[in-house]
Amino acid sequence: MRALAHVTQRTEFHAPSLGRGLARLRVVASVMRRGMRFEMKARIGFASVLVLLACGMAVSIQRLASLSNEQVANLRAEEREITIVERLRWNSELIVSNGRGYLLSADARLLEKIRGAAGRFDENVDALRTASLSDEGRTMVREIETDAAAFRRVQEELLAARGVAAEPGPLVQRFETELLPLRAALDQSLDRLVSFKELALRASYD
């Protein structure tokens, strides 16, 4: 009986401790569950931030790439227009050099070279006319068109006159006094456009 009473007393003594232990376990479990929920939310939030950052970086890179491509396209356009101008200048030189020889000799081979250079000259003028230009650039191109038309008009008149003239002297004099100054005026217009384009190129590279 005394042993049973002793066991009963020990059981009664440990019951409150057991209850307190279970309560602590429930508190710890609750805290752990809350901690796990918080950790899960934090991970989800962090992952969401990473996704947003990645999307933002992708958009920024795309915009930079777009700006870079646009810049490259502008550079190529400026360089292409300068090339057209220089081809126009070169063909005007061929017209002049072969034209003087034709006026002196009436050589059909020189006339053929003049016709070829004149055709390329006109193509270059058309290419400048259809180029994508600013308002200032467009004004310069109109000046080039005006000078080119005056140059070609006198050149064609001289060619036509040489076909029927027996004496080249007066035509050569007109060549010197009319055609060459028109060609010089055209060169000045071309120089202005090239300088304008070179400034635009330097600005694009900066």
Side-chain angles (χ1 to χ4, degrees):
M1 292 294 291
R2 281 196 297 270
L4 180 60
H6 179 68
V7 171
T8 303
Q9 289 176 356
R10 289 180 61 184
T11 303
E12 290 175 353
F13 175 77
H14 287 291
S17 298
L18 182 59
R20 287 194 294 272
L22 291 173
R24 289 194 189 98
L25 287 174
R26 284 194 293 270
V27 171
V28 171
S30 177
V31 171
M32 290 180 65
R33 285 194 297 270
R34 291 177 182 175
M36 291 177 65
R37 287 196 296 269
F38 176 78
E39 184 179 359
M40 183 62 68
K41 290 180 180 178
R43 288 182 178 179
I44 294 173
F46 183 67
S48 300
V49 170
L50 288 179
V51 170
L52 290 174
L53 287 175
C55 292
M57 290 177 64
V59 171
S60 298
I61 292 171
Q62 185 177 7
R63 287 179 178 175
L64 288 174
S66 176
L67 290 175
S68 178
N69 291 336
E70 182 179 356
Q71 186 181 35
V72 170
N74 289 336
L75 289 174
R76 288 177 177 172
E78 301 290 353
E79 292 170 351
R80 183 169 56 252
E81 287 152 14
I82 290 175
T83 300
I84 293 171
V85 168
E86 295 306 326
R87 287 175 180 171
L88 182 58
R89 192 195 307 275
W90 172 243
N91 283 302
S92 71
E93 173 61 29
L94 291 177
I95 290 172
V96 166
S97 59
N98 289 315
R100 179 185 284 108
Y102 176 72
L103 292 179
L104 291 171
S105 65
D107 189 332
R109 291 172 298 180
L110 291 176
L111 180 60
E112 183 178 355
K113 291 181 180 180
I114 293 169
R115 294 301 184 196
R120 293 189 297 272
F121 180 95
D122 293 341
E123 289 174 0
N124 297 147
V125 173
D126 290 339
L128 280 180
R129 185 184 299 113
T130 58
S132 178
L133 299 166
S134 64
D135 291 340
E136 187 174 358
R138 182 64 59 194
T139 298
M140 293 180 183
V141 169
R142 281 197 293 267
E143 293 174 356
I144 290 173
E145 289 182 275
T146 300
D147 292 338
F151 172 76
R152 288 280 284 117
R153 175 181 56 78
V154 173
Q155 179 250 343
E156 288 293 337
E157 289 175 359
L158 289 172
L159 294 181
R162 185 63 182 95
V164 296
E167 177 58 41
L171 297 179
V172 172
Q173 183 178 2
R174 187 182 176 193
F175 177 92
E176 299 289 342
T177 59
E178 291 188 41
L179 190 66
L180 292 185
L182 289 174
R183 198 280 175 113
L186 174 61
D187 272 348
Q188 291 176 0
S189 296
L190 295 175
D191 287 340
R192 283 192 291 271
L193 183 59
V194 169
S195 297
F196 176 72
K197 291 297 179 181
E198 288 175 345
L199 286 175
L201 281 174
R202 283 196 289 270
S204 297
Y205 281 118
D206 292 340

